[in-house]
Amino acid sequence: MFWNIFGYRMKSNVRDFSTLFWTLAFPLFLATFFGLVFPNITSSTVTFETVNVGFYENSAYGGDPYLLESLKSAKQSEGIDLFHVTVFESIEASEEALNNQEISGYAEVAEEVVLHMQGSGFNQTIIKSFFDQYAQISSAIRDVARDNPAALEEVSALFEKEVNYTTSTFAGRDKPDSILVYFYSLIAMTCLYGAFQGQKEIMNIQANQSQLAARQNVSPVPKLKLFGSSILSVTLVQYLSILILLAYLVFVLRINIGDRIGMILAAAFAGCCLGISFGALVGAVVKAGEGIKVAIIISFSMILSFLSGMMQSSVKVAIEKAVPVFKYALPGNLIANTFYAIYYFNSNERFYFGMALMIGISIFFYTIVILVLRRQKYASI
Amino acid sequence: MQVFKVIIKTIRKNLHVLSIYLVVFVFFLILMSSLQTSEGSTTFSEVKRSVMIINKDSGNVIADAFADFMKKSSIPIAPVETEEEMLDALFNEEADYILVIPEGFSKDFLSGSHTVQLEQQSVAGSRGAVWTDMKIRKYLDLLRLYTELSDVDANDTEAIAKLSAQVETQMNKETKVVYPTGVQKEKESSVPYFSKFMAYSLMAITILGVGTILKLFTGRDFKNRLRCSPEKTSSVNLQLVLGNLCFAFTAWAVMTLVCLSFGLKDGLKLWVWVLVLNSLVFMITTLCMSVVIGLVVKNENVRTFVANVVALGSSFLSGIFVPIEFQSETVRKIAGFIPAFWYVKAVEEAKNLTSYAWSDIQPIAAYMAIQLGFGVAFICVAMAVSREKSRHSI
């Protein structure tokens, strides 16, 4: 009988297009928007790009032969230039290029170097930093030459010797990428939308909530069996929705969510159980019509998705910094952080903690649901 | 005013669903206003990066002076203890760079061997990494110049301190920066930011609200009941338009007030009122769009779905959540077909207004006109849909 009901519930759930809209189509739509918008953000805001700078040397001035050479040869890293230098013949041409935003700034070289900038952005900071450094080193060399003229010969040898002052000790499993927060929150939202399914299944076994439930309640099937088969079928459908979303993210949008597939599948399953159990809890505890229950689920999942960084990733960071316990206490953040742990950390502690919490909360919710639903009798419907 | 009363009743009944978006909006405003700390200035202000400095060689002049310099020239982030917390800070962009000065660094630096390297964690090739590497190189190159040319004794702390002071003096030398005439940097107001986010909530609320009203009025039974009532069709239609307009206007007014009250601390300049006007125009366009959606989509579930897809989709593509300049050319081209894109363009233009000559206001007026153009197009579609439906009614 269990598998019989399970089969029918499966058929019914797969054909329930209005719920599938929310649990499958809506996340896919959002994922497409994210996929369109976010890949460019990483490249333009985070990654360094060679800075366009202008150079104008006043002909009346004797000039510094090393300055332009240093500017052109400055490197960000091996093979990547720090600046793309345009030499201008007149100040008017330099101004025009600046106004047309062809360059981030230009240096007017006369008795002293004057930088002409528009705004105080990152590129302008890099330009200023270079010219400051040049001025400081020139001044230091003059300083040293004044105290110890013999040492001046050593200076060029000193600068020829390239010293590497830093070494990378990055201990993460993969590259930090804050854009992933948006995708984690999307996965969290999809898991939480499983609440619609959970609520619907509970409604279908409470005789005072739907006609189908009334019919099922008069049949000689124990309620626990009804509950178990319904929840199992809905969990399977919801899990499939999440798997489709994950496959879409990985194979179509090419989002790197980590390479530990087993852990990703396990986290998706636990998140799915958390969402459905939350819906079941609302369905069992709230004594109101379907509209109110759906409104509660929408409100919660919307606010929890917002807090897990779906609209602004900084919201998640701010909220977790202000109240650290929210990292795990808010279901959206809990799911997102478990996926984050899989992607980013070599150690599995956070992952296991997240998993234990998700499963623990789901069991807790289901226990309440069973306690509320068991031995429920209806004198009048 | 029977019809109008029914509209008010319907809205009141669905207030709990509609208020979700208002709650999200207010929540966002509270969070964002608490995060905003940047101050404006009229001179060049360096774009500083956040660096977490962990000095394990403290007590040595070289390491201490270097750590002090890095703290002064960056946005210092409080050091954390565990490796995982460091990784968190890096991922969440709280710190662009984590710099650890290892034990024995000072001694090794003075010896000139440079075998004890600074340990760093950053996103390779990122702006933060490039900026911080430049700072480190700038300071240590100068220090190396002084130490190697002066043959200072590693145990002579006084002489080392003198060298560090000389480096410090050199580091204070700056290149002169000038701005083109008329460019004055001001503190960035939060109102444009809030105003952009308002569009998201406004779209969601209006589509849902208008959809709910239209669902009722285009329902077969209700429509037939209205037809046999003594109320004139023109009066019904007028009340329907008035009701929808009142609803959208109230939603807009509440959000505008919330937005302005949060931005009050930055001062209500003239361009803020241009933003208010722009949002009013956007409200009208959204209302027209909502009428089309309301006429086409009957199912309540599908309507909520469409409201969310349209509101979130428009917000992501048009630059409400993510600045448009960061988006690809293809996305920008697609976004041109979304009214919210022109709304955001007008906000961006208005926030930079310094004078109010027609030539300055013209682009904003053009963007508002485009939004109204979308509104007219939506009304035409709505009329066509309505006409088509009336042919098949009863």
Side-chain angles (χ1 to χ4, degrees), chain A residues 187-231:
Chain A
I187 297 170
M189 187 201 77
T190 313
C191 291
L192 293 173
Y193 274 179
F196 290 113
Q197 307 262 31
Q199 185 274 134
K200 191 188 70 186
E201 288 311 306
I202 294 301
M203 198 180 75
N204 284 339
I205 57 170
Q206 283 183 289
N208 59 346
Q209 297 274 320
S210 70
Q211 287 183 343
L212 175 70
R215 163 68 187 86
Q216 291 200 103
N217 270 255
V218 292
S219 68
V221 184
K223 208 173 220 171
L224 194 63
K225 221 177 230 183
L226 266 178
F227 172 75
S229 56
S230 298
I231 290 296

Side-chain angles (χ1 to χ4, degrees), chain B residues 132 214 334 386 388:
Chain B
T132 320
L214 289 181
I334 298 170
S386 182
E388 189 61 29

Side-chain angles (χ1 to χ4, degrees), chain A residues 51-292:
Chain A
V51 178
N52 290 320
V53 64
F55 188 89
Y56 164 70
E57 197 164 21
N58 195 323
S59 53
Y61 171 62
D64 177 349
Y66 302 112
L67 181 55
L68 182 59
E69 199 185 311
S70 311
L71 191 64
K72 282 180 173 170
S73 61
K75 295 265 183 276
Q76 181 256 308
S77 62
E78 195 76 32
I80 302 172
D81 287 338
L82 195 58
F83 300 110
H84 175 256
V85 187
T86 311
V87 179
F88 293 101
E89 295 299 322
S90 67
I91 196 106
E92 289 77 20
S94 316
E95 276 295 320
E96 198 184 329
L98 183 66
N99 289 334
N100 294 340
Q101 296 182 343
E102 291 162 20
I103 50 173
S104 302
Y106 72 90
E108 183 192 356
V109 184
E111 283 306 317
E112 62 168 345
V113 177
V114 178
L115 296 175
H116 295 255
M117 314 268 214
Q118 205 152 32
S120 297
F122 178 79
N123 288 354
Q124 287 80 359
T125 299
I126 293 291
I127 295 172
K128 184 164 183 295
S129 198
F130 172 84
F131 282 96
D132 282 351
Q133 187 177 10
Y134 190 85
Q136 288 154 7
I137 288 181
S138 308
S139 165
I141 292 171
R142 284 195 297 274
D143 207 11
V144 169
R146 196 181 54 238
D147 296 344
N148 182 12
L152 207 55
E153 287 169 19
E154 295 174 46
V155 172
S156 58
L158 200 69
F159 280 101
E160 270 168 26
K161 186 182 150 196
E162 183 84 11
V163 176
N164 205 1
Y165 298 116
T166 57
T167 180
S168 174
T169 55
F170 179 67
R173 189 179 172 82
D174 227 319
K175 193 179 157 189
D177 186 355
S178 61
I179 294 303
L180 282 175
V181 171
Y182 289 97
F183 291 98
Y184 293 148
S185 72
L186 180 65
I187 297 170
M189 187 201 77
T190 313
C191 291
L192 293 173
Y193 274 179
F196 290 113
Q197 307 262 31
Q199 185 274 134
K200 191 188 70 186
E201 288 311 306
I202 294 301
M203 198 180 75
N204 284 339
I205 57 170
Q206 283 183 289
N208 59 346
Q209 297 274 320
S210 70
Q211 287 183 343
L212 175 70
R215 163 68 187 86
Q216 291 200 103
N217 270 255
V218 292
S219 68
V221 184
K223 208 173 220 171
L224 194 63
K225 221 177 230 183
L226 266 178
F227 172 75
S229 56
S230 298
I231 290 296
L232 186 65
S233 77
V234 94
T235 305
L236 200 62
V237 172
Q238 176 64 10
Y239 189 50
L240 279 173
S241 298
I242 296 173
L243 292 187
I244 291 170
L245 173 71
L246 290 176
Y248 185 70
L249 292 180
V250 175
F251 299 114
V252 180
L253 301 179
R254 302 271 166 202
I255 305 297
N256 176 14
I257 55 167
D259 53 2
R260 294 190 276 189
I261 298 162
M263 288 162 101
I264 291 171
L265 294 180
F269 184 75
C272 161
C273 290
L274 180 63
I276 294 172
S277 64
F278 169 65
L281 182 77
V282 173
V285 171
V286 177
K287 302 290 176 206
E290 194 188 357
I292 298 287

Side-chain angles (χ1 to χ4, degrees), chain A residues 132-133 135-136 139 142, chain B residues 168-175:
Chain A
D132 282 351
Q133 187 177 10
Q136 288 154 7
S139 165
R142 284 195 297 274
Chain B
E168 191 82 33
T169 315
Q170 294 296 350
M171 295 306 284
N172 291 331
K173 290 197 168 70
E174 286 194 38
T175 321

Side-chain angles (χ1 to χ4, degrees), chain A residues 34 40-41 46 48 115 120 125 128 132 136 139 143 158 163-165 167 169 178 302 340 344 350, chain B residues 47 87-88 93 117-118 120 125 127 137 141 146 148 170 173-176 178-179 200 316 322 326:
Chain A
F34 286 3
N40 288 291
I41 294 184
V46 178
F48 174 80
L115 296 175
S120 297
T125 299
K128 184 164 183 295
D132 282 351
Q136 288 154 7
S139 165
D143 207 11
L158 200 69
V163 176
N164 205 1
Y165 298 116
T167 180
T169 55
S178 61
M302 195 78 194
Y340 160 64
Y344 196 48
R350 284 197 192 195
Chain B
V47 175
L87 287 172
D88 276 338
E93 292 176 355
Q117 288 177 306
L118 298 166
Q120 63 94 355
R127 288 178 165 194
R137 178 157 292 282
D141 270 349
Y146 277 108
E148 293 197 10
Q170 294 296 350
K173 290 197 168 70
E174 286 194 38
T175 321
K176 193 179 164 192
V178 289
Y179 285 104
Y200 159 68
F316 274 111
V322 180
F326 296 150

